[in-house]
Amino acid sequence: MRKALLTRRAAAAFGLLLSGCAPPASARRPINPPGIAPLVPAYSVAIRAGHQVFVSGMTGIKPGTQDIIEGGVEIQTRQTLENIRTALQSAGATMADVGECTVFLTDMRDYAAMNGVYTEYFRVDPPARATVAVTALPRPAARVEIKCSAQIRSLEKP
């Protein structure tokens, strides 16, 4: 009985590999684009695993620096989304491939301003989204942080 169970599990795993549902472990690679690479070694800007891209929480840092852009939540949201676009492009994805986002705001009164900019980047079929208020972000000057995940559609079979 135990041998039959192991054989069924092995057959199922082999089937997943053949179908392309389970990318090999070597397919997982960190994405750290120049200009927005993290200063701390505890995370990557993004991870590409097969056709999926997972972008870490991004803030409105000025590319090439670690400084948060000044000018309020609208400007920070725009820079954050540009940084996300850069990370996605470095991984072979686009903003149209994004399936979900989580937005963190230090003040929920900034929601309308953030949302106005956000909708410029996701005009058609926007991703699923959650927006939460937080008491602080790791960067004290940051008012918004966004993380997202994407499925590279250009690689999907029709």
Side-chain angles (χ1 to χ4, degrees):
M1 172 120 157
R2 185 168 188 213
K3 185 176 181 181
L5 179 61
L6 290 175
T7 302
R8 281 190 297 238
R9 285 184 181 164
F14 185 70
L16 284 174
L17 285 173
L18 286 179
S19 71
C21 291
S26 63
R28 182 187 177 280
R29 66 182 172 94
I31 307 294
N32 290 304
I36 58 172
L39 286 176
V40 295
Y43 76 98
S44 297
V45 169
I47 292 290
R48 176 157 177 190
H51 302 322
Q52 295 182 308
V53 181
F54 305 95
V55 180
S56 293
M58 299 291 290
T59 57
I61 62 164
K62 298 176 198 172
T65 75
Q66 291 296 313
D67 300 328
I68 299 294
I69 197 161
E70 295 177 6
V73 75
E74 287 180 51
I75 291 171
Q76 285 189 18
T77 300
R78 189 171 315 286
Q79 186 61 57
T80 297
L81 290 165
E82 286 299 323
N83 293 343
I84 287 171
R85 185 192 314 262
T86 297
L88 289 167
Q89 288 174 341
S90 295
T94 69
M95 296 297 272
D97 294 325
V98 174
E100 69 81 28
C101 291
T102 304
V103 178
F104 305 92
L105 290 172
T106 57
D107 187 338
M108 199 53 84
R109 291 176 290 193
D110 287 336
Y111 180 86
M114 174 281 298
N115 195 57
V117 175
Y118 182 94
T119 57
E120 293 174 23
Y121 286 80
F122 299 108
R123 291 187 188 276
V124 179
D125 299 327
R129 180 179 78 185
T131 303
V132 296
V134 295
T135 58
L137 292 168
R139 300 293 189 93
R143 296 175 64 179
V144 61
E145 181 174 320
I146 303 173
K147 69 175 261 338
C148 64
S149 300
Q151 175 80 17
I152 302 174
R153 293 186 279 183
S154 61
L155 298 177
E156 291 179 356
K157 296 178 184 176

